[in-house]
Amino acid sequence: MADNKELKSCNNRQKPKQWQPRSRALSFCALLLCTLLFAFFCSEAFANQISDNKNQLKDIQQDIADKEKSVKLQQKQRTELLGQLKEQENTISDVGRSLHNTQNHLNKLGSEISSLTENISDLKVQQKKQRELLARQLDAAFRQGNHQGLELLFNGPEKQRKERILAYYSYLNQARQETITELQETTDKLNQQKKLQQEKQNEQQTLMSSQKQQKQKMEVARNARQKTLTTLESSLKKDQQSLAELRQNEISLRNKIAKAEQEAKARAEREAREAARVRAQVAAKQKQAQKQGSSYKPTEDERALMARTGGLGRPAGQAIWPVRGRVIHNFGEAIQGELRWKGIVISAAEGTEVKAISDGRVLLADWLQGYGLVVVIEHGKGDMSLYGYNQSALVSVGQQVRAGQPIALVGNSGGQQQPSLYFEIRRQGRAVNPLPWLGR
């Protein structure tokens, strides 16, 4: 019995050891299955995530491509709009110059017509007096045959009486003939003056009709320009874009002036040498004249050459103002960001004449983005003056100009909102404050 109990007890202790490996295998299989299932689901989720990322990247790339296309299209449109603006403002420039010339011609015709009217009035008075004189002479001749006083005048010997009668009639005839001749001459002059007056009045009417058409053309060009400006402004919504535009305008202006200077370099050097020679000659002549107790005054050609090549000199308020008006922007004022005005802006009525501040030669007369129609005058020794925003230029490149000579008309070209003049003085290529040069 004791042996049987030990055997059962032994069997009972060994039985769990027989089931343990099987349980571990089952657990491992279950774990492996879970791992495989987890890996499967994880790999599928990862694959889905990769697919989503690829789709997002594709969308972003497409968005970038669309925006780049939009930017290029906008740049193209801006380039086209700036081209339109340049063309429209050039049209306004041509019409403005034509209107200015027409108005000057009309003013001249008005003066001529007024003078002719005065001449005609004087000739009519003269003609009336001559007619009255002739009428009195004819009446006297008619009456003299029956005038009793003549008998006393012609009394005396027969021969003397005949001589006196012949002399008297000869005097009367000569006086009448002179009066008739003068009257005929006055009448001819009067008719000529009336004919000339009519021709001038007809020319005046033709010019006035032409002026009306020019004004209509100007209005059409202005309306088209305003539409272009509105579209341009809507495309410049961001300050950074505007800032970049201003920088580019300044670079374009410098490059344009540099190119014009390079083209005119040979002529400028030739004129500088000639001016130096003339100055030496004038100095010698003045010295010689001083020794002789007299003085030498340079000729107009000598003075003009020395003046236009002698530079602007030190700033001492010696130059005239290019146009009179209120200064709305001063040199050095901030425009936007770090950009500052390199000249001054003077408010003035559209069409006002812009005048050269000193003698010189026209270096540039062209339309530039941001500055509109620009006229640049070189004064020698690296000095130049710049006049922008003009409606029209009245001078051409290479032309000599005198101080105070009209060179342009005030406008608002370059996309400006109000008529004004942009004015700069540059010394050795660097913009300097122009106010010290300008008189009060």
Side-chain angles (χ1 to χ4, degrees), residues 354-385:
V354 178
K355 298 178 180 179
I357 64 166
S358 183
D359 291 10
R361 189 186 291 273
V362 179
L363 178 68
L364 180 67
D366 199 0
W367 190 95
L368 295 176
Q369 183 178 323
Y371 296 91
L373 186 60
V374 176
V375 174
V376 178
I377 298 176
E378 56 177 343
H379 305 282
K381 296 186 176 180
D383 291 343
M384 64 182 67
S385 53

PDB file of all heavy atoms in Angstrom, residues 354-385:
ATOM      1  N   VAL A 354       8.961 124.129 -68.014  1.00  0.00           N
ATOM      2  CA  VAL A 354      10.098 123.775 -67.162  1.00  0.00           C
ATOM      3  C   VAL A 354      11.339 124.405 -67.781  1.00  0.00           C
ATOM      4  O   VAL A 354      11.585 124.248 -68.980  1.00  0.00           O
ATOM      5  CB  VAL A 354      10.277 122.248 -67.072  1.00  0.00           C
ATOM      6  CG1 VAL A 354      11.484 121.899 -66.225  1.00  0.00           C
ATOM      7  CG2 VAL A 354       9.018 121.598 -66.509  1.00  0.00           C
ATOM      8  N   LYS A 355      12.126 125.116 -66.983  1.00  0.00           N
ATOM      9  CA  LYS A 355      13.260 125.875 -67.521  1.00  0.00           C
ATOM     10  C   LYS A 355      14.600 125.305 -67.050  1.00  0.00           C
ATOM     11  O   LYS A 355      14.716 124.829 -65.921  1.00  0.00           O
ATOM     12  CB  LYS A 355      13.145 127.344 -67.109  1.00  0.00           C
ATOM     13  CG  LYS A 355      11.879 127.997 -67.672  1.00  0.00           C
ATOM     14  CD  LYS A 355      11.728 129.436 -67.223  1.00  0.00           C
ATOM     15  CE  LYS A 355      10.452 130.045 -67.801  1.00  0.00           C
ATOM     16  NZ  LYS A 355      10.260 131.436 -67.359  1.00  0.00           N
ATOM     17  N   ALA A 356      15.587 125.375 -67.927  1.00  0.00           N
ATOM     18  CA  ALA A 356      16.943 124.926 -67.581  1.00  0.00           C
ATOM     19  C   ALA A 356      17.508 125.842 -66.509  1.00  0.00           C
ATOM     20  O   ALA A 356      17.377 127.067 -66.602  1.00  0.00           O
ATOM     21  CB  ALA A 356      17.830 124.941 -68.815  1.00  0.00           C
ATOM     22  N   ILE A 357      18.146 125.275 -65.489  1.00  0.00           N
ATOM     23  CA  ILE A 357      18.658 126.090 -64.384  1.00  0.00           C
ATOM     24  C   ILE A 357      19.958 126.799 -64.746  1.00  0.00           C
ATOM     25  O   ILE A 357      20.341 127.770 -64.109  1.00  0.00           O
ATOM     26  CB  ILE A 357      18.864 125.243 -63.119  1.00  0.00           C
ATOM     27  CG1 ILE A 357      19.940 124.172 -63.358  1.00  0.00           C
ATOM     28  CG2 ILE A 357      17.568 124.624 -62.654  1.00  0.00           C
ATOM     29  CD1 ILE A 357      20.451 123.519 -62.089  1.00  0.00           C
ATOM     30  N   SER A 358      20.634 126.309 -65.797  1.00  0.00           N
ATOM     31  CA  SER A 358      21.915 126.901 -66.190  1.00  0.00           C
ATOM     32  C   SER A 358      22.212 126.494 -67.637  1.00  0.00           C
ATOM     33  O   SER A 358      21.544 125.607 -68.187  1.00  0.00           O
ATOM     34  CB  SER A 358      23.026 126.417 -65.261  1.00  0.00           C
ATOM     35  OG  SER A 358      24.252 127.035 -65.579  1.00  0.00           O
ATOM     36  N   ASP A 359      23.208 127.137 -68.252  1.00  0.00           N
ATOM     37  CA  ASP A 359      23.611 126.771 -69.609  1.00  0.00           C
ATOM     38  C   ASP A 359      24.092 125.328 -69.630  1.00  0.00           C
ATOM     39  O   ASP A 359      24.660 124.827 -68.652  1.00  0.00           O
ATOM     40  CB  ASP A 359      24.740 127.680 -70.098  1.00  0.00           C
ATOM     41  CG  ASP A 359      24.259 129.102 -70.341  1.00  0.00           C
ATOM     42  OD1 ASP A 359      23.117 129.404 -69.958  1.00  0.00           O
ATOM     43  OD2 ASP A 359      25.021 129.900 -70.908  1.00  0.00           O
ATOM     44  N   GLY A 360      23.893 124.668 -70.755  1.00  0.00           N
ATOM     45  CA  GLY A 360      24.376 123.295 -70.889  1.00  0.00           C
ATOM     46  C   GLY A 360      23.970 122.688 -72.207  1.00  0.00           C
ATOM     47  O   GLY A 360      23.576 123.386 -73.143  1.00  0.00           O
ATOM     48  N   ARG A 361      24.073 121.362 -72.266  1.00  0.00           N
ATOM     49  CA  ARG A 361      23.689 120.617 -73.466  1.00  0.00           C
ATOM     50  C   ARG A 361      22.822 119.434 -73.037  1.00  0.00           C
ATOM     51  O   ARG A 361      23.074 118.803 -72.016  1.00  0.00           O
ATOM     52  CB  ARG A 361      24.944 120.121 -74.215  1.00  0.00           C
ATOM     53  CG  ARG A 361      24.634 119.530 -75.586  1.00  0.00           C
ATOM     54  CD  ARG A 361      25.892 118.928 -76.199  1.00  0.00           C
ATOM     55  NE  ARG A 361      26.862 119.924 -76.556  1.00  0.00           N
ATOM     56  CZ  ARG A 361      26.876 120.567 -77.722  1.00  0.00           C
ATOM     57  NH1 ARG A 361      25.950 120.307 -78.626  1.00  0.00           N
ATOM     58  NH2 ARG A 361      27.798 121.461 -77.978  1.00  0.00           N
ATOM     59  N   VAL A 362      21.812 119.131 -73.845  1.00  0.00           N
ATOM     60  CA  VAL A 362      20.875 118.050 -73.511  1.00  0.00           C
ATOM     61  C   VAL A 362      21.577 116.707 -73.680  1.00  0.00           C
ATOM     62  O   VAL A 362      22.047 116.366 -74.769  1.00  0.00           O
ATOM     63  CB  VAL A 362      19.618 118.113 -74.397  1.00  0.00           C
ATOM     64  CG1 VAL A 362      18.654 116.969 -74.048  1.00  0.00           C
ATOM     65  CG2 VAL A 362      18.914 119.451 -74.230  1.00  0.00           C
ATOM     66  N   LEU A 363      21.646 115.962 -72.586  1.00  0.00           N
ATOM     67  CA  LEU A 363      22.295 114.649 -72.590  1.00  0.00           C
ATOM     68  C   LEU A 363      21.280 113.535 -72.853  1.00  0.00           C
ATOM     69  O   LEU A 363      21.581 112.544 -73.507  1.00  0.00           O
ATOM     70  CB  LEU A 363      22.986 114.405 -71.247  1.00  0.00           C
ATOM     71  CG  LEU A 363      23.682 113.053 -71.057  1.00  0.00           C
ATOM     72  CD1 LEU A 363      24.901 112.960 -71.962  1.00  0.00           C
ATOM     73  CD2 LEU A 363      24.092 112.862 -69.598  1.00  0.00           C
ATOM     74  N   LEU A 364      20.065 113.711 -72.329  1.00  0.00           N
ATOM     75  CA  LEU A 364      19.056 112.651 -72.412  1.00  0.00           C
ATOM     76  C   LEU A 364      17.668 113.277 -72.466  1.00  0.00           C
ATOM     77  O   LEU A 364      17.387 114.249 -71.766  1.00  0.00           O
ATOM     78  CB  LEU A 364      19.173 111.741 -71.184  1.00  0.00           C
ATOM     79  CG  LEU A 364      18.217 110.556 -71.071  1.00  0.00           C
ATOM     80  CD1 LEU A 364      18.509 109.521 -72.151  1.00  0.00           C
ATOM     81  CD2 LEU A 364      18.329 109.911 -69.690  1.00  0.00           C
ATOM     82  N   ALA A 365      16.814 112.723 -73.301  1.00  0.00           N
ATOM     83  CA  ALA A 365      15.399 113.122 -73.365  1.00  0.00           C
ATOM     84  C   ALA A 365      14.627 111.864 -73.744  1.00  0.00           C
ATOM     85  O   ALA A 365      14.481 111.541 -74.918  1.00  0.00           O
ATOM     86  CB  ALA A 365      15.180 114.237 -74.385  1.00  0.00           C
ATOM     87  N   ASP A 366      14.139 111.148 -72.721  1.00  0.00           N
ATOM     88  CA  ASP A 366      13.544 109.836 -72.973  1.00  0.00           C
ATOM     89  C   ASP A 366      12.592 109.478 -71.840  1.00  0.00           C
ATOM     90  O   ASP A 366      12.634 110.060 -70.756  1.00  0.00           O
ATOM     91  CB  ASP A 366      14.651 108.782 -73.086  1.00  0.00           C
ATOM     92  CG  ASP A 366      14.186 107.518 -73.793  1.00  0.00           C
ATOM     93  OD1 ASP A 366      13.002 107.458 -74.203  1.00  0.00           O
ATOM     94  OD2 ASP A 366      15.005 106.588 -73.938  1.00  0.00           O
ATOM     95  N   TRP A 367      11.739 108.487 -72.096  1.00  0.00           N
ATOM     96  CA  TRP A 367      10.798 107.984 -71.088  1.00  0.00           C
ATOM     97  C   TRP A 367      11.475 106.864 -70.301  1.00  0.00           C
ATOM     98  O   TRP A 367      12.028 105.928 -70.878  1.00  0.00           O
ATOM     99  CB  TRP A 367       9.545 107.462 -71.762  1.00  0.00           C
ATOM    100  CG  TRP A 367       8.412 107.145 -70.823  1.00  0.00           C
ATOM    101  CD1 TRP A 367       7.380 107.955 -70.491  1.00  0.00           C
ATOM    102  CD2 TRP A 367       8.182 105.908 -70.117  1.00  0.00           C
ATOM    103  NE1 TRP A 367       6.525 107.332 -69.613  1.00  0.00           N
ATOM    104  CE2 TRP A 367       6.992 106.071 -69.363  1.00  0.00           C
ATOM    105  CE3 TRP A 367       8.864 104.709 -70.024  1.00  0.00           C
ATOM    106  CZ2 TRP A 367       6.478 105.059 -68.553  1.00  0.00           C
ATOM    107  CZ3 TRP A 367       8.353 103.704 -69.206  1.00  0.00           C
ATOM    108  CH2 TRP A 367       7.174 103.890 -68.488  1.00  0.00           C
ATOM    109  N   LEU A 368      11.443 106.968 -68.964  1.00  0.00           N
ATOM    110  CA  LEU A 368      12.029 105.952 -68.098  1.00  0.00           C
ATOM    111  C   LEU A 368      11.007 105.535 -67.054  1.00  0.00           C
ATOM    112  O   LEU A 368      10.315 106.386 -66.477  1.00  0.00           O
ATOM    113  CB  LEU A 368      13.280 106.491 -67.391  1.00  0.00           C
ATOM    114  CG  LEU A 368      14.473 106.832 -68.284  1.00  0.00           C
ATOM    115  CD1 LEU A 368      15.583 107.444 -67.459  1.00  0.00           C
ATOM    116  CD2 LEU A 368      14.976 105.593 -68.992  1.00  0.00           C
ATOM    117  N   GLN A 369      10.928 104.224 -66.814  1.00  0.00           N
ATOM    118  CA  GLN A 369       9.964 103.695 -65.848  1.00  0.00           C
ATOM    119  C   GLN A 369      10.150 104.341 -64.475  1.00  0.00           C
ATOM    120  O   GLN A 369      11.251 104.382 -63.939  1.00  0.00           O
ATOM    121  CB  GLN A 369      10.125 102.180 -65.733  1.00  0.00           C
ATOM    122  CG  GLN A 369       9.124 101.512 -64.805  1.00  0.00           C
ATOM    123  CD  GLN A 369       9.300 100.009 -64.780  1.00  0.00           C
ATOM    124  OE1 GLN A 369       9.599  99.399 -65.811  1.00  0.00           O
ATOM    125  NE2 GLN A 369       9.124  99.410 -63.621  1.00  0.00           N
ATOM    126  N   GLY A 370       9.071 104.817 -63.904  1.00  0.00           N
ATOM    127  CA  GLY A 370       9.101 105.435 -62.588  1.00  0.00           C
ATOM    128  C   GLY A 370       9.375 106.926 -62.617  1.00  0.00           C
ATOM    129  O   GLY A 370       8.980 107.650 -61.708  1.00  0.00           O
ATOM    130  N   TYR A 371      10.058 107.407 -63.667  1.00  0.00           N
ATOM    131  CA  TYR A 371      10.393 108.828 -63.779  1.00  0.00           C
ATOM    132  C   TYR A 371       9.646 109.505 -64.924  1.00  0.00           C
ATOM    133  O   TYR A 371       9.694 110.726 -65.048  1.00  0.00           O
ATOM    134  CB  TYR A 371      11.900 109.006 -63.987  1.00  0.00           C
ATOM    135  CG  TYR A 371      12.733 108.524 -62.827  1.00  0.00           C
ATOM    136  CD1 TYR A 371      13.201 107.217 -62.777  1.00  0.00           C
ATOM    137  CD2 TYR A 371      13.047 109.367 -61.770  1.00  0.00           C
ATOM    138  CE1 TYR A 371      13.960 106.762 -61.713  1.00  0.00           C
ATOM    139  CE2 TYR A 371      13.810 108.922 -60.698  1.00  0.00           C
ATOM    140  CZ  TYR A 371      14.260 107.617 -60.678  1.00  0.00           C
ATOM    141  OH  TYR A 371      15.008 107.173 -59.618  1.00  0.00           O
ATOM    142  N   GLY A 372       8.992 108.708 -65.763  1.00  0.00           N
ATOM    143  CA  GLY A 372       8.275 109.276 -66.893  1.00  0.00           C
ATOM    144  C   GLY A 372       9.220 109.862 -67.917  1.00  0.00           C
ATOM    145  O   GLY A 372      10.339 109.379 -68.118  1.00  0.00           O
ATOM    146  N   LEU A 373       8.782 110.954 -68.536  1.00  0.00           N
ATOM    147  CA  LEU A 373       9.604 111.616 -69.554  1.00  0.00           C
ATOM    148  C   LEU A 373      10.666 112.469 -68.863  1.00  0.00           C
ATOM    149  O   LEU A 373      10.357 113.423 -68.152  1.00  0.00           O
ATOM    150  CB  LEU A 373       8.732 112.490 -70.456  1.00  0.00           C
ATOM    151  CG  LEU A 373       9.427 113.125 -71.651  1.00  0.00           C
ATOM    152  CD1 LEU A 373      10.012 112.053 -72.562  1.00  0.00           C
ATOM    153  CD2 LEU A 373       8.453 113.981 -72.438  1.00  0.00           C
ATOM    154  N   VAL A 374      11.926 112.101 -69.067  1.00  0.00           N
ATOM    155  CA  VAL A 374      13.045 112.732 -68.354  1.00  0.00           C
ATOM    156  C   VAL A 374      13.911 113.519 -69.337  1.00  0.00           C
ATOM    157  O   VAL A 374      14.196 113.058 -70.442  1.00  0.00           O
ATOM    158  CB  VAL A 374      13.919 111.659 -67.658  1.00  0.00           C
ATOM    159  CG1 VAL A 374      15.128 112.304 -66.992  1.00  0.00           C
ATOM    160  CG2 VAL A 374      13.103 110.909 -66.621  1.00  0.00           C
ATOM    161  N   VAL A 375      14.328 114.715 -68.903  1.00  0.00           N
ATOM    162  CA  VAL A 375      15.318 115.511 -69.639  1.00  0.00           C
ATOM    163  C   VAL A 375      16.523 115.688 -68.719  1.00  0.00           C
ATOM    164  O   VAL A 375      16.365 116.102 -67.566  1.00  0.00           O
ATOM    165  CB  VAL A 375      14.758 116.885 -70.054  1.00  0.00           C
ATOM    166  CG1 VAL A 375      15.865 117.736 -70.686  1.00  0.00           C
ATOM    167  CG2 VAL A 375      13.606 116.725 -71.031  1.00  0.00           C
ATOM    168  N   VAL A 376      17.716 115.353 -69.224  1.00  0.00           N
ATOM    169  CA  VAL A 376      18.944 115.515 -68.451  1.00  0.00           C
ATOM    170  C   VAL A 376      19.854 116.483 -69.203  1.00  0.00           C
ATOM    171  O   VAL A 376      20.079 116.313 -70.405  1.00  0.00           O
ATOM    172  CB  VAL A 376      19.669 114.164 -68.235  1.00  0.00           C
ATOM    173  CG1 VAL A 376      20.969 114.377 -67.469  1.00  0.00           C
ATOM    174  CG2 VAL A 376      18.763 113.195 -67.482  1.00  0.00           C
ATOM    175  N   ILE A 377      20.369 117.476 -68.499  1.00  0.00           N
ATOM    176  CA  ILE A 377      21.274 118.468 -69.097  1.00  0.00           C
ATOM    177  C   ILE A 377      22.630 118.373 -68.411  1.00  0.00           C
ATOM    178  O   ILE A 377      22.719 118.377 -67.179  1.00  0.00           O
ATOM    179  CB  ILE A 377      20.712 119.898 -68.939  1.00  0.00           C
ATOM    180  CG1 ILE A 377      19.367 120.008 -69.674  1.00  0.00           C
ATOM    181  CG2 ILE A 377      21.692 120.928 -69.484  1.00  0.00           C
ATOM    182  CD1 ILE A 377      18.695 121.349 -69.499  1.00  0.00           C
ATOM    183  N   GLU A 378      23.690 118.273 -69.219  1.00  0.00           N
ATOM    184  CA  GLU A 378      25.052 118.262 -68.673  1.00  0.00           C
ATOM    185  C   GLU A 378      25.608 119.686 -68.728  1.00  0.00           C
ATOM    186  O   GLU A 378      25.424 120.403 -69.712  1.00  0.00           O
ATOM    187  CB  GLU A 378      25.942 117.297 -69.448  1.00  0.00           C
ATOM    188  CG  GLU A 378      26.027 117.537 -70.947  1.00  0.00           C
ATOM    189  CD  GLU A 378      26.977 116.574 -71.623  1.00  0.00           C
ATOM    190  OE1 GLU A 378      27.774 115.961 -70.911  1.00  0.00           O
ATOM    191  OE2 GLU A 378      26.916 116.461 -72.863  1.00  0.00           O
ATOM    192  N   HIS A 379      26.266 120.081 -67.639  1.00  0.00           N
ATOM    193  CA  HIS A 379      26.769 121.449 -67.515  1.00  0.00           C
ATOM    194  C   HIS A 379      28.291 121.506 -67.494  1.00  0.00           C
ATOM    195  O   HIS A 379      28.865 122.577 -67.281  1.00  0.00           O
ATOM    196  CB  HIS A 379      26.213 122.086 -66.237  1.00  0.00           C
ATOM    197  CG  HIS A 379      24.728 122.060 -66.145  1.00  0.00           C
ATOM    198  ND1 HIS A 379      23.912 122.942 -66.845  1.00  0.00           N
ATOM    199  CD2 HIS A 379      23.878 121.237 -65.454  1.00  0.00           C
ATOM    200  CE1 HIS A 379      22.645 122.675 -66.572  1.00  0.00           C
ATOM    201  NE2 HIS A 379      22.593 121.644 -65.745  1.00  0.00           N
ATOM    202  N   GLY A 380      28.932 120.363 -67.703  1.00  0.00           N
ATOM    203  CA  GLY A 380      30.385 120.322 -67.684  1.00  0.00           C
ATOM    204  C   GLY A 380      30.929 120.005 -66.300  1.00  0.00           C
ATOM    205  O   GLY A 380      30.238 120.149 -65.284  1.00  0.00           O
ATOM    206  N   LYS A 381      32.169 119.531 -66.258  1.00  0.00           N
ATOM    207  CA  LYS A 381      32.866 119.193 -65.013  1.00  0.00           C
ATOM    208  C   LYS A 381      32.105 118.173 -64.169  1.00  0.00           C
ATOM    209  O   LYS A 381      32.151 118.201 -62.940  1.00  0.00           O
ATOM    210  CB  LYS A 381      33.145 120.454 -64.197  1.00  0.00           C
ATOM    211  CG  LYS A 381      34.099 121.428 -64.906  1.00  0.00           C
ATOM    212  CD  LYS A 381      34.476 122.591 -64.025  1.00  0.00           C
ATOM    213  CE  LYS A 381      35.490 123.488 -64.719  1.00  0.00           C
ATOM    214  NZ  LYS A 381      35.884 124.642 -63.878  1.00  0.00           N
ATOM    215  N   GLY A 382      31.371 117.278 -64.816  1.00  0.00           N
ATOM    216  CA  GLY A 382      30.665 116.214 -64.111  1.00  0.00           C
ATOM    217  C   GLY A 382      29.355 116.640 -63.473  1.00  0.00           C
ATOM    218  O   GLY A 382      28.748 115.862 -62.736  1.00  0.00           O
ATOM    219  N   ASP A 383      28.885 117.872 -63.734  1.00  0.00           N
ATOM    220  CA  ASP A 383      27.618 118.349 -63.179  1.00  0.00           C
ATOM    221  C   ASP A 383      26.499 118.169 -64.189  1.00  0.00           C
ATOM    222  O   ASP A 383      26.681 118.425 -65.395  1.00  0.00           O
ATOM    223  CB  ASP A 383      27.710 119.827 -62.804  1.00  0.00           C
ATOM    224  CG  ASP A 383      28.621 120.072 -61.616  1.00  0.00           C
ATOM    225  OD1 ASP A 383      28.909 119.093 -60.898  1.00  0.00           O
ATOM    226  OD2 ASP A 383      29.040 121.221 -61.404  1.00  0.00           O
ATOM    227  N   MET A 384      25.347 117.739 -63.692  1.00  0.00           N
ATOM    228  CA  MET A 384      24.172 117.634 -64.565  1.00  0.00           C
ATOM    229  C   MET A 384      22.913 117.874 -63.748  1.00  0.00           C
ATOM    230  O   MET A 384      22.889 117.694 -62.529  1.00  0.00           O
ATOM    231  CB  MET A 384      24.126 116.263 -65.251  1.00  0.00           C
ATOM    232  CG  MET A 384      23.969 115.073 -64.332  1.00  0.00           C
ATOM    233  SD  MET A 384      23.974 113.510 -65.254  1.00  0.00           S
ATOM    234  CE  MET A 384      25.648 113.485 -65.862  1.00  0.00           C
ATOM    235  N   SER A 385      21.874 118.313 -64.438  1.00  0.00           N
ATOM    236  CA  SER A 385      20.562 118.515 -63.811  1.00  0.00           C
ATOM    237  C   SER A 385      19.555 117.608 -64.509  1.00  0.00           C
ATOM    238  O   SER A 385      19.637 117.377 -65.716  1.00  0.00           O
ATOM    239  CB  SER A 385      20.124 119.975 -63.894  1.00  0.00           C
ATOM    240  OG  SER A 385      20.178 120.457 -65.228  1.00  0.00           O
TER     241      SER A 385
END
